Amino acid sequence: NAINSEIAANTAKVTNANHTGDVTGATALTIASDVITQAKLANQFKTTLTNGSATGSVSLDFNAYQVFDMTLSGTTTFGITNAEIGMVKDLYVTGVQTFSITNGKLVAGTYDGAVTNLIQIVAQTSTSFWYSISQEQV
């Protein structure tokens, strides 16, 4: 049978190919320094920052970004899309306005529109969230 020689050739293999480029080695592989970039990472590891001025209803796409940076220009309601249980996102907010997070439960902190606030949001479910608010301690 013609396939027997192909099988024999594969089982007779006793060494690995030698890899070059970002990953090198023949037996143990080594990843070169400084070659892992955001573009090479999966969506859940993105650390892209989205900036914007917020008023009215604003959607925070949890699958698109890790960090959101917003300046409130009016009363704002943040809705969250594409969330999965356990996701944690950072929302930096400033602006002397009020905001709410749809299906969000505040667990700690108070918003101060005169400074930048770090709001950390944790997805309890895909539609239910816990959040805390903090400011830089000076």
Side-chain angles (χ1 to χ4, degrees), residues 25-100:
T27 304
L29 300 177
T30 302
I31 299 174
S33 297
D34 301 320
V35 297
I36 298 176
T37 64
Q38 287 184 15
K40 293 178 183 177
L41 296 175
N43 278 345
Q44 68 262 31
F45 299 111
K46 281 186 178 178
T47 56
T48 307
L49 176 73
T50 183
N51 295 298
S53 178
T55 189
S57 295
V58 175
S59 178
L60 303 177
D61 184 346
F62 268 32
N63 194 42
Y65 300 103
Q66 177 63 39
V67 178
F68 300 87
D69 188 357
M70 300 287 174
T71 299
L72 301 181
S73 56
T75 300
T76 304
T77 300
F78 292 109
I80 297 171
T81 61
N82 298 314
E84 296 178 21
I85 295 171
M87 282 182 154
V88 178
K89 302 296 177 172
D90 297 328
L91 171 60
Y92 292 92
V93 180
T94 189
V96 184
Q97 303 292 333
T98 60
F99 77 92
S100 62

Side-chain angles (χ1 to χ4, degrees), residues 8-30:
N10 189 46
T11 56
K13 185 173 174 26
V14 292
T15 61
N16 289 318
N18 191 23
H19 298 278
T20 61
D22 290 351
V23 177
T24 58
T27 304
L29 300 177
T30 302

